Amino acid sequence: MRISLEQWQALVAVVEQGGYARAADHLNKTQSTISYAVRQIEERLCVGVFEVQGRKAQLTEAGQVLYRRGKSLVNESARLERAADNLARGHEKELRLAVESLFPMDLLLRCLQRFADVFPETRVELFESVVGGTDELLLGGHVDLAIFADGVPQGYTGDVLLRYRALAVAAPSHPLHQLQRDLSVEDLRGHRHLVIRDSGQQRQRASVWNVAEQRLTVSHKSTSVRAACLGLGFAWYAEDWIRDELASGELRALPMIAGAERWGALYLVYPDPDGAGPGARWLGALLKEESAREREAGFH
């Protein structure tokens, strides 16, 4: 007998919800139904999915493989159903978009305004994500379109929208500026580094931005920029974030010997190119068009 999609859904839910009771609540089924589904997988495949370690059940090595494969099946099924629904409707009921915080917000909002004019009945849910948060939203099948910074997850392809420049800056009153000489990375290590928190729960992607043990980590770029203006620390910020602060003199570029600038690229990724609905395709094309105009206008 084959394993049904519902049984795979039960296994995935048990792992991701942290137990049978929570999985049952998540799937709106009884706990006995969930337990039976997992037991059927074990019996039909002749493998153990979970083993007890201490007081907690953990996935066996075989269980980890089954979970990964099962999750792929569940995600693919959800994408297929969504694509079919979009085809039947002629447009998406809802469009979910994950955008790395480094992407220029004004450009994004212009695109979303034009999207609303063409698809007024489509609800848009925007996830403003940082580093691993974008990865998790894409890999978990939670979004229809994603904009990544500095690379695309393995197994996906993406188109470059923009290249950005990040500058090392601090307030004019910061001690680093008072040294009145060119600075090395070693000079930075004795001061507080302002960091924006990875929005992913796993936080598996190592950050190349962390250079000092002293850190102030916040959730939003506006909070970090404000902290820098108040002299609480130094940071590398995308030039687009701090144009006004540089112009007003609230922030000044640090005179680094090397590494004053960091360059990166922003990529547009479709989680499921074949199943993308008309709205997702239209918005993706618009993002490419507007980004090309920004490049021609000299965006950094």
Side-chain angles (χ1 to χ4, degrees), residues 208-223:
V208 298
W209 301 87
N210 298 333
V211 298
E213 287 301 316
Q214 295 182 55
R215 292 178 200 157
L216 173 60
T217 303
V218 300
S219 297
H220 302 287
K221 61 185 180 184
S222 58
T223 306

Side-chain angles (χ1 to χ4, degrees), residues 86-243:
N86 291 339
L87 289 171
R89 289 174 174 273
H91 64 85
E92 296 94 328
K93 179 172 60 178
E94 181 180 56
L95 186 64
R96 300 164 301 175
L97 175 65
V99 178
E100 164 64 47
S101 63
L102 287 163
F103 191 78
M105 186 53 64
D106 286 349
L107 189 159
L108 175 63
L109 293 177
R110 287 200 307 271
C111 291
L112 291 179
Q113 179 59 61
R114 288 180 60 183
F115 178 85
D117 292 339
V118 177
F119 296 89
E121 296 181 2
T122 299
R123 299 193 302 270
V124 176
E125 185 170 6
L126 172 63
F127 297 91
E128 298 175 76
S129 49
V130 180
V131 193
T134 317
D135 294 37
E136 290 180 11
L137 288 165
L138 177 78
L139 298 174
H142 302 303
V143 293
D144 305 289
L145 204 60
I147 296 178
F148 278 84
D150 306 327
V152 175
Q154 187 175 1
Y156 295 86
T157 57
D159 296 315
V160 174
L161 292 177
L162 293 170
R163 301 189 186 280
Y164 68 88
R165 178 172 68 162
L167 303 176
V169 298
S173 60
H174 192 279
L176 286 169
H177 279 302
Q178 307 313 308
L179 295 175
Q180 297 185 347
R181 60 173 171 78
D182 290 344
L183 305 173
S184 68
V185 173
E186 287 303 316
D187 291 318
L188 303 185
R189 296 194 195 284
H191 297 272
R192 184 182 297 110
H193 188 183
L194 302 176
V195 178
I196 298 174
R197 180 177 292 107
D198 184 337
S199 61
Q201 294 186 3
Q202 302 299 320
R203 300 183 189 175
Q204 294 177 343
R205 247 214 270 178
S207 175
V208 298
W209 301 87
N210 298 333
V211 298
E213 287 301 316
Q214 295 182 55
R215 292 178 200 157
L216 173 60
T217 303
V218 300
S219 297
H220 302 287
K221 61 185 180 184
S222 58
T223 306
S224 184
V225 171
R226 185 59 185 155
C229 290
L230 292 174
L232 271 66
F234 71 90
W236 278 266
Y237 292 129
E239 192 174 13
D240 180 65
W241 293 5
I242 54 171
R243 290 188 191 280

Side-chain angles (χ1 to χ4, degrees), residues 3-16:
I3 297 169
S4 69
L5 180 62
E6 285 191 354
Q7 289 167 333
W8 286 121
Q9 289 172 331
L11 172 59
V12 171
V14 170
V15 176
E16 297 187 346

